[in-house]
Amino acid sequence: VWWTIKDQDNKRREELAVQYRPILTFCESNVSFLSSLISLKLKLKNNGRGECSDVKISISSNDCIAILKNISSSQICSDDSIPIEINIFKAKKNINTTSKQKFEEINENDHFLIDVNIQYNDIFQNNYTKKYLFEIQSAIAIQFSSKPNENIKYVFGKIKFDNKIWICLIKDI
């Protein structure tokens, strides 16, 4: 009898975990461009029925210096969102110690790849990890094609500096 009750309890817990699973997606974005900085402002929204806690976001890139600004909360309730800001700089290849400027001007041929990892827990302490690849480039340099293996989830962009359109393609990994 004890095993049957324990088994039913575990099954019920699994059913509730599926029913109240948090689902994080990106919404509302703004890409702004300055001479040596691209600022990517996003909202990470919980579209699921359950809240998520212990939200941790990490970023890495070999193409640029990407800085994740402070996140306002480590918990996202159902149908709620938190703002995320990533500042992207193009580092100079040869940094002169007497020069105060450590960043190069960003031009329309530049292309940046940023790995974004999001880890969070649900109310049952199940751990989830989402990985994204942010591809940021000038829209002038892009040739859109419909490749069947491309898993592009979101395309963000806004006209800023000198009528150039900068976009961010976010791909599920």
Side-chain angles (χ1 to χ4, degrees), residues 111-122:
H111 178 258
F112 305 107
L113 297 174
I114 301 171
D115 292 315
V116 177
N117 294 312
I118 302 172
Q119 294 180 325
Y120 57 96
N121 296 328
D122 64 12

Side-chain angles (χ1 to χ4, degrees), residues 39-127:
S39 180
L40 178 61
K41 295 178 183 175
L42 304 163
K43 287 207 182 231
L44 186 63
K45 183 174 183 179
N46 182 357
N47 289 322
R49 291 182 61 195
E51 70 179 42
C52 60
S53 60
D54 300 325
V55 178
K56 295 178 181 80
I57 302 172
S58 61
I59 58 175
S60 63
S61 177
N62 293 330
D63 301 327
C64 61
I65 297 170
I67 300 170
L68 177 66
K69 289 207 141 180
N70 291 341
I71 300 169
S72 62
S73 174
S74 67
Q75 182 173 347
I76 308 174
C77 295
S78 179
D79 206 31
D80 201 4
S81 62
I82 59 170
I84 297 171
E85 184 175 352
I86 301 173
N87 290 330
I88 301 150
F89 300 92
K90 181 180 173 184
K92 281 190 169 184
K93 297 206 182 354
N94 297 322
I95 298 177
N96 184 348
T97 55
T98 59
S99 172
K100 290 183 180 179
Q101 185 180 6
K102 295 179 175 72
F103 306 113
E104 283 188 31
E105 294 271 321
I106 296 172
N107 61 53
E108 66 188 42
N109 297 323
D110 288 328
H111 178 258
F112 305 107
L113 297 174
I114 301 171
D115 292 315
V116 177
N117 294 312
I118 302 172
Q119 294 180 325
Y120 57 96
N121 296 328
D122 64 12
I123 56 175
F124 300 101
Q125 295 307 311
N126 295 317
N127 190 288

